Amino acid sequence: MPLRRLLPHPWRSLGVLVLWLLLNNSLHPGHIVLGAAIGCVLPLVTARFWPSTAAIRRPWRVVAFTAMVIFDVIVANLRVARAVLGPVSRLRPGFARVPLDLTTDVGITVLAQTITLTPGTLSADLSPDRRTLIVHYLDEPDAESVVAAIKSRYERPLKEIFG
Amino acid sequence: MRVKEFLLSFLIVAGAAFCFLGSLGLARLPDTFTRLHGPSKATTLGIGCMALASLVWFTVTRREPSVHELLVIVFVALTTPISAHMVARAALHRRLPVWRGEAPPQ
Amino acid sequence: MISVAVDIASVLIGLAMLLAFWRLLRGPDIVDRVIAIDTLYINACTLLLAYGIAGDSALHFEASLVIALLGFLTTVAFAKYLLRGDIME
């Protein structure tokens, strides 16, 4: 299978091509040829640096999840704005420990990123055994509600996506 | 044209305002962990709004789609949480004082 | 109208950079200073994008992207240094 030989990682190659076209901001045929060439070579050269990859089980859930995160980012900013502009002495910050059901590296990474970008919480540390995520919250009544909200709103859909 | 101009101006000012709020949080909040909240959320949306404004502006004025601003949005949205997470880990590692409440056991 | 918006944006982001710079000088810990640098470079990126719109020039965008790339690497390198006392592994 020569095509398989030439393109062992078709999705990475496609990603490089799209990145190249975006960087040059053009759909000129020359750029497409050059981007395709780089897309063939780069994944081969850098294959050793890639950590474990994860299969996405339900692509459509990714779209829904992304839309939800974008909406939450806007909510997060309004809440940060209120916390920053209001009196500081009324804030109730603290740490919460979130037990993880996700096991894959990619899943945990995406969850940590989502937590940081969404309202009131910031992922601060992952325990060495990868079973607990330490989260800092800016203004919440107690830690249990933060943990419950993260698990139901973000971890469950991610579990469905990455398994 | 009027609507487009209004939308663009709104995006520009909103982006700058979010950046300002993020930095105000950095300057005002009481400890290192709360200070991280401002920059990690507000500046991400700030630069996102501004890049979106730039995308719309160049698409309208040059009369051809200009989409490379999406790169900035995606890149910042991916990298800001990573740097915030690493800085928070460093702060925990150095056992920085926590304002109200207690630090998690190591 | 757009030039007015860019003027307002410049003032706001300038104030934001001053606030971040104040935190950079003030500290109190080196971690706070790292956060301040992180905020400063993102604000610089945003300001450059605004100037790109005002001057109708695509060059500002490239500068903004390069600052974002280098700024991220700088922050990560600082954080790693603070965690391990060493950057290279």
Side-chain angles (χ1 to χ4, degrees):
Chain A
M1 280 205 290
L3 189 68
R4 200 77 203 151
R5 259 285 192 48
L6 195 66
L7 282 174
H9 309 290
W11 288 110
R12 286 177 204 169
S13 301
L14 188 67
V16 172
L17 172 61
V18 170
L19 189 70
W20 180 259
L21 293 177
L22 275 174
L23 266 175
N24 286 292
N25 206 14
S26 95
L27 277 174
H28 193 273
H31 280 308
I32 295 179
V33 171
L34 197 54
I38 296 172
C40 289
V41 175
L42 210 59
L44 286 176
V45 179
T46 58
R48 274 204 273 161
F49 303 120
W50 280 77
S52 65
T53 51
I56 293 175
R57 288 190 187 166
R58 300 188 182 159
W60 285 109
R61 300 290 312 215
V62 178
V63 179
F65 186 74
T66 313
M68 187 182 83
V69 169
I70 291 174
F71 175 75
D72 283 356
V73 167
I74 295 169
V75 175
N77 278 282
L78 298 177
R79 286 188 55 180
V80 165
R82 207 181 56 191
V84 166
L85 293 174
V88 171
S89 59
R90 250 199 271 150
L91 294 180
R92 292 279 174 277
F95 289 94
R97 304 174 74 89
V98 183
L100 291 175
D101 290 326
L102 287 164
T103 46
T104 58
D105 284 355
V106 180
I108 295 174
T109 311
V110 174
L111 179 67
Q113 294 217 331
T114 314
I115 287 172
T116 301
L117 284 178
T118 49
T121 50
L122 185 104
S123 71
D125 202 359
L126 181 65
S127 66
D129 61 356
R130 292 164 182 254
R131 303 203 68 85
T132 322
L133 195 64
I134 296 175
V135 169
H136 183 264
Y137 53 87
L138 183 58
D139 189 18
E140 301 282 345
D142 59 82
E144 284 76 27
S145 59
V146 177
V147 174
I150 288 173
K151 287 196 84 73
S152 66
R153 194 168 170 83
Y154 304 118
E155 196 179 12
R156 199 178 304 149
L158 281 176
K159 185 94 183 151
E160 281 177 28
I161 291 170
F162 293 112
Chain B
M1 198 59 218
R2 207 65 200 150
V3 181
K4 250 182 241 159
E5 259 188 37
F6 184 76
L7 180 76
L8 259 174
S9 311
F10 175 76
L11 278 176
I12 293 171
V13 174
F18 280 124
C19 274
F20 174 73
L21 283 170
S23 306
L24 189 65
L26 174 72
R28 221 185 136 208
L29 292 176
D31 71 358
T32 310
F33 299 98
T34 50
R35 270 173 220 147
L36 256 175
H37 280 271
S40 69
K41 293 181 187 62
T43 47
T44 310
L45 190 63
I47 198 166
C49 283
M50 195 63 85
L52 204 60
S54 170
L55 191 152
V56 174
W57 168 258
F58 284 110
T59 304
V60 170
T61 55
R62 305 258 160 105
R63 289 179 189 286
E64 56 177 353
S66 161
V67 284
H68 59 352
E69 283 85 356
L70 283 177
L71 272 182
V72 174
I73 301 179
V74 172
F75 182 78
V76 172
L78 283 181
T79 57
T80 313
I82 297 175
S83 49
H85 181 88
M86 294 202 64
V87 170
R89 272 185 75 184
L92 278 176
H93 182 76
R94 291 171 68 83
R95 294 168 190 279
L96 291 186
V98 177
W99 179 80
R100 262 186 206 171
E102 51 199 73
Q106 294 279 322
Chain C
M1 190 170 178
I2 287 177
S3 62
V4 177
V6 172
D7 286 346
I8 297 172
S10 311
V11 172
L12 279 174
I13 299 173
L15 284 173
M17 291 176 88
L18 279 178
L19 286 168
F21 192 66
W22 182 75
R23 180 53 73 194
L24 180 66
L25 292 178
R26 177 84 195 281
D29 195 80
I30 188 162
V31 177
D32 298 275
R33 293 178 219 264
V34 173
I35 305 172
I37 295 233
D38 193 68
T39 315
L40 264 178
Y41 87 76
I42 296 229
N43 283 336
C45 283
T46 318
L47 193 58
L48 273 172
L49 283 175
Y51 282 165
I53 297 173
D56 199 14
S57 136
L59 271 180
H60 291 79
F61 167 80
E62 320 275 340
S64 178
L65 193 60
V66 170
I67 291 179
L69 281 165
L70 293 179
F72 168 63
L73 287 180
T74 312
T75 312
V76 168
F78 268 132
K80 272 200 103 146
Y81 175 72
L82 291 176
L83 270 172
R84 308 255 163 84
D86 193 7
I87 299 173
M88 312 299 275
E89 298 212 334

mmCIF file of all heavy atoms in Angstrom, chain A residues 88-134:
data_model
loop_
_atom_site.group_PDB
_atom_site.id
_atom_site.type_symbol
_atom_site.label_atom_id
_atom_site.label_comp_id
_atom_site.label_asym_id
_atom_site.label_seq_id
_atom_site.Cartn_x
_atom_site.Cartn_y
_atom_site.Cartn_z
ATOM 1 N N VAL A 88 -13.812 43.309 46.757
ATOM 2 C CA VAL A 88 -12.993 42.105 46.848
ATOM 3 C C VAL A 88 -13.322 41.300 48.106
ATOM 4 O O VAL A 88 -13.284 40.075 48.114
ATOM 5 C CB VAL A 88 -11.498 42.500 46.828
ATOM 6 C CG1 VAL A 88 -10.621 41.302 47.135
ATOM 7 C CG2 VAL A 88 -11.137 43.067 45.478
ATOM 8 N N SER A 89 -13.705 42.005 49.188
ATOM 9 C CA SER A 89 -13.885 41.316 50.470
ATOM 10 C C SER A 89 -15.043 40.332 50.436
ATOM 11 O O SER A 89 -15.158 39.477 51.295
ATOM 12 C CB SER A 89 -14.124 42.346 51.562
ATOM 13 O OG SER A 89 -15.273 43.104 51.250
ATOM 14 N N ARG A 90 -15.936 40.437 49.403
ATOM 15 C CA ARG A 90 -17.072 39.535 49.367
ATOM 16 C C ARG A 90 -16.768 38.220 48.645
ATOM 17 O O ARG A 90 -17.600 37.316 48.617
ATOM 18 C CB ARG A 90 -18.255 40.225 48.678
ATOM 19 C CG ARG A 90 -19.370 40.550 49.673
ATOM 20 C CD ARG A 90 -20.676 40.794 48.954
ATOM 21 N NE ARG A 90 -20.835 42.171 48.574
ATOM 22 C CZ ARG A 90 -21.518 42.560 47.495
ATOM 23 N NH1 ARG A 90 -22.081 41.672 46.723
ATOM 24 N NH2 ARG A 90 -21.653 43.838 47.211
ATOM 25 N N LEU A 91 -15.592 38.097 48.037
ATOM 26 C CA LEU A 91 -15.271 36.878 47.293
ATOM 27 C C LEU A 91 -15.080 35.700 48.237
ATOM 28 O O LEU A 91 -14.647 35.862 49.378
ATOM 29 C CB LEU A 91 -13.982 37.082 46.486
ATOM 30 C CG LEU A 91 -14.042 38.090 45.356
ATOM 31 C CD1 LEU A 91 -12.688 38.170 44.677
ATOM 32 C CD2 LEU A 91 -15.096 37.704 44.354
ATOM 33 N N ARG A 92 -15.465 34.516 47.769
ATOM 34 C CA ARG A 92 -15.267 33.288 48.552
ATOM 35 C C ARG A 92 -14.449 32.302 47.715
ATOM 36 O O ARG A 92 -14.993 31.373 47.136
ATOM 37 C CB ARG A 92 -16.614 32.661 48.897
ATOM 38 C CG ARG A 92 -17.464 33.448 49.876
ATOM 39 C CD ARG A 92 -17.008 33.197 51.314
ATOM 40 N NE ARG A 92 -17.719 34.049 52.251
ATOM 41 C CZ ARG A 92 -17.383 35.314 52.521
ATOM 42 N NH1 ARG A 92 -16.353 35.865 51.912
ATOM 43 N NH2 ARG A 92 -18.062 36.019 53.394
ATOM 44 N N PRO A 93 -13.141 32.474 47.615
ATOM 45 C CA PRO A 93 -12.337 31.544 46.816
ATOM 46 C C PRO A 93 -11.957 30.297 47.611
ATOM 47 O O PRO A 93 -12.131 30.262 48.833
ATOM 48 C CB PRO A 93 -11.088 32.361 46.484
ATOM 49 C CG PRO A 93 -10.954 33.306 47.614
ATOM 50 C CD PRO A 93 -12.326 33.555 48.183
ATOM 51 N N GLY A 94 -11.468 29.291 46.932
ATOM 52 C CA GLY A 94 -11.039 28.081 47.617
ATOM 53 C C GLY A 94 -10.611 27.019 46.620
ATOM 54 O O GLY A 94 -10.674 27.224 45.407
ATOM 55 N N PHE A 95 -10.159 25.876 47.154
ATOM 56 C CA PHE A 95 -9.744 24.759 46.300
ATOM 57 C C PHE A 95 -10.754 23.626 46.389
ATOM 58 O O PHE A 95 -11.346 23.391 47.433
ATOM 59 C CB PHE A 95 -8.376 24.232 46.737
ATOM 60 C CG PHE A 95 -7.262 25.160 46.414
ATOM 61 C CD1 PHE A 95 -6.810 26.075 47.354
ATOM 62 C CD2 PHE A 95 -6.666 25.130 45.170
ATOM 63 C CE1 PHE A 95 -5.777 26.940 47.045
ATOM 64 C CE2 PHE A 95 -5.632 25.993 44.866
ATOM 65 C CZ PHE A 95 -5.191 26.906 45.807
ATOM 66 N N ALA A 96 -10.944 22.922 45.263
ATOM 67 C CA ALA A 96 -11.810 21.748 45.251
ATOM 68 C C ALA A 96 -11.032 20.602 44.620
ATOM 69 O O ALA A 96 -10.194 20.817 43.749
ATOM 70 C CB ALA A 96 -13.081 22.028 44.450
ATOM 71 N N ARG A 97 -11.308 19.396 45.069
ATOM 72 C CA ARG A 97 -10.670 18.216 44.481
ATOM 73 C C ARG A 97 -11.709 17.484 43.656
ATOM 74 O O ARG A 97 -12.729 17.060 44.183
ATOM 75 C CB ARG A 97 -10.126 17.300 45.563
ATOM 76 C CG ARG A 97 -9.166 17.981 46.504
ATOM 77 C CD ARG A 97 -8.790 17.043 47.619
ATOM 78 N NE ARG A 97 -7.888 16.019 47.152
ATOM 79 C CZ ARG A 97 -6.560 16.175 47.159
ATOM 80 N NH1 ARG A 97 -6.027 17.274 47.628
ATOM 81 N NH2 ARG A 97 -5.782 15.229 46.700
ATOM 82 N N VAL A 98 -11.435 17.351 42.364
ATOM 83 C CA VAL A 98 -12.384 16.690 41.473
ATOM 84 C C VAL A 98 -11.879 15.281 41.180
ATOM 85 O O VAL A 98 -10.856 15.121 40.519
ATOM 86 C CB VAL A 98 -12.542 17.469 40.149
ATOM 87 C CG1 VAL A 98 -13.592 16.812 39.272
ATOM 88 C CG2 VAL A 98 -12.904 18.908 40.432
ATOM 89 N N PRO A 99 -12.584 14.227 41.642
ATOM 90 C CA PRO A 99 -12.181 12.868 41.271
ATOM 91 C C PRO A 99 -12.510 12.623 39.803
ATOM 92 O O PRO A 99 -13.602 12.941 39.343
ATOM 93 C CB PRO A 99 -13.022 11.982 42.191
ATOM 94 C CG PRO A 99 -14.163 12.829 42.614
ATOM 95 C CD PRO A 99 -13.742 14.251 42.550
ATOM 96 N N LEU A 100 -11.561 12.078 39.053
ATOM 97 C CA LEU A 100 -11.736 11.949 37.607
ATOM 98 C C LEU A 100 -12.254 10.579 37.220
ATOM 99 O O LEU A 100 -11.805 9.562 37.755
ATOM 100 C CB LEU A 100 -10.394 12.185 36.902
ATOM 101 C CG LEU A 100 -9.839 13.601 36.936
ATOM 102 C CD1 LEU A 100 -8.466 13.627 36.308
ATOM 103 C CD2 LEU A 100 -10.753 14.542 36.200
ATOM 104 N N ASP A 101 -13.206 10.547 36.270
ATOM 105 C CA ASP A 101 -13.609 9.286 35.658
ATOM 106 C C ASP A 101 -12.908 9.086 34.328
ATOM 107 O O ASP A 101 -12.831 7.974 33.816
ATOM 108 C CB ASP A 101 -15.130 9.266 35.421
ATOM 109 C CG ASP A 101 -15.885 9.182 36.737
ATOM 110 O OD1 ASP A 101 -15.367 8.531 37.649
ATOM 111 O OD2 ASP A 101 -16.965 9.776 36.853
ATOM 112 N N LEU A 102 -12.422 10.199 33.745
ATOM 113 C CA LEU A 102 -11.714 10.106 32.475
ATOM 114 C C LEU A 102 -10.363 9.442 32.717
ATOM 115 O O LEU A 102 -9.727 9.649 33.750
ATOM 116 C CB LEU A 102 -11.479 11.498 31.894
ATOM 117 C CG LEU A 102 -12.696 12.218 31.327
ATOM 118 C CD1 LEU A 102 -12.380 13.686 31.154
ATOM 119 C CD2 LEU A 102 -13.061 11.625 29.996
ATOM 120 N N THR A 103 -9.934 8.621 31.731
ATOM 121 C CA THR A 103 -8.655 7.946 31.922
ATOM 122 C C THR A 103 -7.632 8.321 30.864
ATOM 123 O O THR A 103 -6.431 8.248 31.114
ATOM 124 C CB THR A 103 -8.867 6.420 31.882
ATOM 125 O OG1 THR A 103 -9.703 6.119 30.779
ATOM 126 C CG2 THR A 103 -9.503 5.917 33.159
ATOM 127 N N THR A 104 -8.084 8.731 29.658
ATOM 128 C CA THR A 104 -7.109 9.010 28.612
ATOM 129 C C THR A 104 -6.451 10.362 28.833
ATOM 130 O O THR A 104 -7.044 11.271 29.421
ATOM 131 C CB THR A 104 -7.785 9.014 27.228
ATOM 132 O OG1 THR A 104 -8.825 9.994 27.246
ATOM 133 C CG2 THR A 104 -8.391 7.683 26.908
ATOM 134 N N ASP A 105 -5.189 10.473 28.365
ATOM 135 C CA ASP A 105 -4.445 11.732 28.494
ATOM 136 C C ASP A 105 -5.174 12.878 27.808
ATOM 137 O O ASP A 105 -5.306 13.969 28.353
ATOM 138 C CB ASP A 105 -3.058 11.581 27.862
ATOM 139 C CG ASP A 105 -2.140 10.777 28.750
ATOM 140 O OD1 ASP A 105 -2.562 10.446 29.868
ATOM 141 O OD2 ASP A 105 -1.011 10.492 28.321
ATOM 142 N N VAL A 106 -5.638 12.618 26.575
ATOM 143 C CA VAL A 106 -6.286 13.681 25.814
ATOM 144 C C VAL A 106 -7.548 14.149 26.530
ATOM 145 O O VAL A 106 -7.819 15.345 26.643
ATOM 146 C CB VAL A 106 -6.603 13.205 24.383
ATOM 147 C CG1 VAL A 106 -7.265 14.307 23.595
ATOM 148 C CG2 VAL A 106 -5.337 12.769 23.692
ATOM 149 N N GLY A 107 -8.324 13.179 27.049
ATOM 150 C CA GLY A 107 -9.557 13.539 27.746
ATOM 151 C C GLY A 107 -9.283 14.431 28.938
ATOM 152 O O GLY A 107 -9.943 15.466 29.131
ATOM 153 N N ILE A 108 -8.282 14.053 29.749
ATOM 154 C CA ILE A 108 -7.966 14.851 30.939
ATOM 155 C C ILE A 108 -7.486 16.238 30.536
ATOM 156 O O ILE A 108 -7.865 17.243 31.140
ATOM 157 C CB ILE A 108 -6.911 14.126 31.801
ATOM 158 C CG1 ILE A 108 -7.493 12.812 32.341
ATOM 159 C CG2 ILE A 108 -6.475 14.999 32.962
ATOM 160 C CD1 ILE A 108 -6.487 11.962 33.065
ATOM 161 N N THR A 109 -6.667 16.299 29.475
ATOM 162 C CA THR A 109 -6.160 17.601 29.024
ATOM 163 C C THR A 109 -7.302 18.510 28.604
ATOM 164 O O THR A 109 -7.364 19.685 29.008
ATOM 165 C CB THR A 109 -5.208 17.407 27.834
ATOM 166 O OG1 THR A 109 -4.270 16.407 28.163
ATOM 167 C CG2 THR A 109 -4.497 18.690 27.503
ATOM 168 N N VAL A 110 -8.224 17.966 27.796
ATOM 169 C CA VAL A 110 -9.338 18.787 27.323
ATOM 170 C C VAL A 110 -10.195 19.235 28.502
ATOM 171 O O VAL A 110 -10.635 20.387 28.575
ATOM 172 C CB VAL A 110 -10.179 18.014 26.278
ATOM 173 C CG1 VAL A 110 -11.410 18.804 25.889
ATOM 174 C CG2 VAL A 110 -9.348 17.727 25.067
ATOM 175 N N LEU A 111 -10.415 18.330 29.482
ATOM 176 C CA LEU A 111 -11.224 18.704 30.643
ATOM 177 C C LEU A 111 -10.549 19.845 31.412
ATOM 178 O O LEU A 111 -11.204 20.828 31.785
ATOM 179 C CB LEU A 111 -11.428 17.496 31.561
ATOM 180 C CG LEU A 111 -12.250 17.805 32.811
ATOM 181 C CD1 LEU A 111 -13.682 18.128 32.437
ATOM 182 C CD2 LEU A 111 -12.218 16.666 33.810
ATOM 183 N N ALA A 112 -9.215 19.734 31.628
ATOM 184 C CA ALA A 112 -8.509 20.774 32.378
ATOM 185 C C ALA A 112 -8.589 22.114 31.654
ATOM 186 O O ALA A 112 -8.801 23.161 32.267
ATOM 187 C CB ALA A 112 -7.054 20.368 32.583
ATOM 188 N N GLN A 113 -8.435 22.079 30.327
ATOM 189 C CA GLN A 113 -8.517 23.320 29.551
ATOM 190 C C GLN A 113 -9.904 23.930 29.649
ATOM 191 O O GLN A 113 -10.053 25.139 29.816
ATOM 192 C CB GLN A 113 -8.215 23.029 28.088
ATOM 193 C CG GLN A 113 -6.809 22.585 27.870
ATOM 194 C CD GLN A 113 -6.248 23.130 26.597
ATOM 195 O OE1 GLN A 113 -6.972 23.367 25.658
ATOM 196 N NE2 GLN A 113 -4.969 23.348 26.556
ATOM 197 N N THR A 114 -10.926 23.063 29.543
ATOM 198 C CA THR A 114 -12.296 23.560 29.611
ATOM 199 C C THR A 114 -12.560 24.206 30.962
ATOM 200 O O THR A 114 -13.177 25.270 31.047
ATOM 201 C CB THR A 114 -13.278 22.405 29.387
ATOM 202 O OG1 THR A 114 -12.830 21.649 28.283
ATOM 203 C CG2 THR A 114 -14.653 22.908 29.124
ATOM 204 N N ILE A 115 -12.076 23.547 32.037
ATOM 205 C CA ILE A 115 -12.309 24.081 33.374
ATOM 206 C C ILE A 115 -11.695 25.465 33.503
ATOM 207 O O ILE A 115 -12.295 26.382 34.064
ATOM 208 C CB ILE A 115 -11.720 23.118 34.428
ATOM 209 C CG1 ILE A 115 -12.588 21.873 34.533
ATOM 210 C CG2 ILE A 115 -11.609 23.783 35.776
ATOM 211 C CD1 ILE A 115 -11.985 20.800 35.389
ATOM 212 N N THR A 116 -10.493 25.642 32.942
ATOM 213 C CA THR A 116 -9.839 26.947 33.067
ATOM 214 C C THR A 116 -10.606 28.029 32.319
ATOM 215 O O THR A 116 -10.691 29.165 32.778
ATOM 216 C CB THR A 116 -8.402 26.858 32.551
ATOM 217 O OG1 THR A 116 -7.724 25.879 33.317
ATOM 218 C CG2 THR A 116 -7.691 28.178 32.687
ATOM 219 N N LEU A 117 -11.179 27.674 31.156
ATOM 220 C CA LEU A 117 -11.829 28.705 30.341
ATOM 221 C C LEU A 117 -13.257 29.001 30.782
ATOM 222 O O LEU A 117 -13.840 29.983 30.354
ATOM 223 C CB LEU A 117 -11.850 28.275 28.873
ATOM 224 C CG LEU A 117 -10.533 28.407 28.130
ATOM 225 C CD1 LEU A 117 -10.678 27.907 26.722
ATOM 226 C CD2 LEU A 117 -10.047 29.837 28.115
ATOM 227 N N THR A 118 -13.839 28.154 31.637
ATOM 228 C CA THR A 118 -15.255 28.312 31.947
ATOM 229 C C THR A 118 -15.468 28.930 33.321
ATOM 230 O O THR A 118 -14.526 29.052 34.098
ATOM 231 C CB THR A 118 -15.970 26.963 31.827
ATOM 232 O OG1 THR A 118 -15.205 26.008 32.542
ATOM 233 C CG2 THR A 118 -16.104 26.541 30.398
ATOM 234 N N PRO A 119 -16.732 29.295 33.650
ATOM 235 C CA PRO A 119 -16.987 30.211 34.767
ATOM 236 C C PRO A 119 -16.367 29.835 36.109
ATOM 237 O O PRO A 119 -16.550 28.719 36.590
ATOM 238 C CB PRO A 119 -18.518 30.166 34.899
ATOM 239 C CG PRO A 119 -18.988 29.834 33.565
ATOM 240 C CD PRO A 119 -17.952 28.958 32.955
ATOM 241 N N GLY A 120 -15.632 30.771 36.682
ATOM 242 C CA GLY A 120 -15.256 30.707 38.078
ATOM 243 C C GLY A 120 -14.216 29.702 38.495
ATOM 244 O O GLY A 120 -13.823 29.697 39.646
ATOM 245 N N THR A 121 -13.769 28.817 37.582
ATOM 246 C CA THR A 121 -12.849 27.767 38.019
ATOM 247 C C THR A 121 -11.572 27.775 37.198
ATOM 248 O O THR A 121 -11.531 28.285 36.083
ATOM 249 C CB THR A 121 -13.503 26.384 37.867
ATOM 250 O OG1 THR A 121 -14.044 26.290 36.567
ATOM 251 C CG2 THR A 121 -14.593 26.178 38.891
ATOM 252 N N LEU A 122 -10.517 27.185 37.785
ATOM 253 C CA LEU A 122 -9.206 27.172 37.142
ATOM 254 C C LEU A 122 -8.526 25.868 37.553
ATOM 255 O O LEU A 122 -8.439 25.578 38.749
ATOM 256 C CB LEU A 122 -8.420 28.367 37.677
ATOM 257 C CG LEU A 122 -7.060 28.671 37.111
ATOM 258 C CD1 LEU A 122 -7.211 29.846 36.190
ATOM 259 C CD2 LEU A 122 -6.096 29.013 38.200
ATOM 260 N N SER A 123 -8.094 25.069 36.573
ATOM 261 C CA SER A 123 -7.422 23.831 36.971
ATOM 262 C C SER A 123 -6.017 24.171 37.430
ATOM 263 O O SER A 123 -5.298 24.911 36.774
ATOM 264 C CB SER A 123 -7.389 22.849 35.801
ATOM 265 O OG SER A 123 -6.496 23.286 34.823
ATOM 266 N N ALA A 124 -5.630 23.656 38.605
ATOM 267 C CA ALA A 124 -4.361 24.061 39.185
ATOM 268 C C ALA A 124 -3.344 22.930 39.230
ATOM 269 O O ALA A 124 -2.156 23.179 39.104
ATOM 270 C CB ALA A 124 -4.573 24.612 40.596
ATOM 271 N N ASP A 125 -3.792 21.687 39.414
ATOM 272 C CA ASP A 125 -2.810 20.607 39.515
ATOM 273 C C ASP A 125 -3.501 19.277 39.279
ATOM 274 O O ASP A 125 -4.694 19.129 39.513
ATOM 275 C CB ASP A 125 -2.162 20.607 40.908
ATOM 276 C CG ASP A 125 -0.822 19.889 40.883
ATOM 277 O OD1 ASP A 125 -0.443 19.392 39.802
ATOM 278 O OD2 ASP A 125 -0.163 19.836 41.925
ATOM 279 N N LEU A 126 -2.714 18.314 38.785
ATOM 280 C CA LEU A 126 -3.214 16.964 38.594
ATOM 281 C C LEU A 126 -2.405 16.068 39.519
ATOM 282 O O LEU A 126 -1.184 16.171 39.564
ATOM 283 C CB LEU A 126 -3.026 16.557 37.130
ATOM 284 C CG LEU A 126 -3.514 15.176 36.709
ATOM 285 C CD1 LEU A 126 -5.016 15.074 36.832
ATOM 286 C CD2 LEU A 126 -3.103 14.902 35.278
ATOM 287 N N SER A 127 -3.111 15.211 40.278
ATOM 288 C CA SER A 127 -2.385 14.343 41.202
ATOM 289 C C SER A 127 -1.511 13.378 40.398
ATOM 290 O O SER A 127 -1.837 13.052 39.261
ATOM 291 C CB SER A 127 -3.365 13.567 42.074
ATOM 292 O OG SER A 127 -4.094 12.676 41.270
ATOM 293 N N PRO A 128 -0.394 12.912 40.978
ATOM 294 C CA PRO A 128 0.537 12.059 40.223
ATOM 295 C C PRO A 128 -0.117 10.795 39.668
ATOM 296 O O PRO A 128 0.283 10.309 38.620
ATOM 297 C CB PRO A 128 1.618 11.721 41.255
ATOM 298 C CG PRO A 128 1.542 12.812 42.255
ATOM 299 C CD PRO A 128 0.113 13.248 42.315
ATOM 300 N N ASP A 129 -1.148 10.267 40.352
ATOM 301 C CA ASP A 129 -1.779 9.055 39.823
ATOM 302 C C ASP A 129 -2.871 9.365 38.806
ATOM 303 O O ASP A 129 -3.577 8.468 38.360
ATOM 304 C CB ASP A 129 -2.352 8.208 40.975
ATOM 305 C CG ASP A 129 -3.426 8.965 41.747
ATOM 306 O OD1 ASP A 129 -3.652 10.147 41.433
ATOM 307 O OD2 ASP A 129 -4.029 8.382 42.670
ATOM 308 N N ARG A 130 -3.042 10.620 38.448
ATOM 309 C CA ARG A 130 -4.002 11.052 37.412
ATOM 310 C C ARG A 130 -5.443 10.720 37.760
ATOM 311 O O ARG A 130 -6.248 10.453 36.882
ATOM 312 C CB ARG A 130 -3.668 10.415 36.057
ATOM 313 C CG ARG A 130 -2.404 10.936 35.515
ATOM 314 C CD ARG A 130 -1.883 10.067 34.416
ATOM 315 N NE ARG A 130 -0.624 10.631 33.996
ATOM 316 C CZ ARG A 130 -0.474 11.301 32.864
ATOM 317 N NH1 ARG A 130 -1.455 11.424 32.047
ATOM 318 N NH2 ARG A 130 0.681 11.831 32.567
ATOM 319 N N ARG A 131 -5.772 10.693 39.019
ATOM 320 C CA ARG A 131 -7.155 10.388 39.374
ATOM 321 C C ARG A 131 -7.870 11.580 39.993
ATOM 322 O O ARG A 131 -9.085 11.526 40.161
ATOM 323 C CB ARG A 131 -7.198 9.195 40.331
ATOM 324 C CG ARG A 131 -6.527 7.960 39.777
ATOM 325 C CD ARG A 131 -7.029 6.717 40.435
ATOM 326 N NE ARG A 131 -8.413 6.460 40.072
ATOM 327 C CZ ARG A 131 -8.778 5.812 38.972
ATOM 328 N NH1 ARG A 131 -7.875 5.365 38.142
ATOM 329 N NH2 ARG A 131 -10.046 5.605 38.728
ATOM 330 N N THR A 132 -7.138 12.620 40.360
ATOM 331 C CA THR A 132 -7.761 13.780 40.979
ATOM 332 C C THR A 132 -7.210 15.051 40.342
ATOM 333 O O THR A 132 -6.013 15.177 40.131
ATOM 334 C CB THR A 132 -7.454 13.831 42.489
ATOM 335 O OG1 THR A 132 -7.473 12.521 43.002
ATOM 336 C CG2 THR A 132 -8.459 14.694 43.208
ATOM 337 N N LEU A 133 -8.127 15.968 40.056
ATOM 338 C CA LEU A 133 -7.727 17.263 39.527
ATOM 339 C C LEU A 133 -8.003 18.297 40.612
ATOM 340 O O LEU A 133 -9.085 18.311 41.193
ATOM 341 C CB LEU A 133 -8.547 17.569 38.275
ATOM 342 C CG LEU A 133 -8.092 18.679 37.358
ATOM 343 C CD1 LEU A 133 -6.756 18.331 36.743
ATOM 344 C CD2 LEU A 133 -9.109 18.876 36.253
ATOM 345 N N ILE A 134 -7.000 19.120 40.932
ATOM 346 C CA ILE A 134 -7.213 20.163 41.924
ATOM 347 C C ILE A 134 -7.645 21.431 41.194
ATOM 348 O O ILE A 134 -6.994 21.866 40.248
ATOM 349 C CB ILE A 134 -5.939 20.412 42.748
ATOM 350 C CG1 ILE A 134 -5.611 19.152 43.543
ATOM 351 C CG2 ILE A 134 -6.126 21.583 43.686
ATOM 352 C CD1 ILE A 134 -4.329 19.226 44.286
#
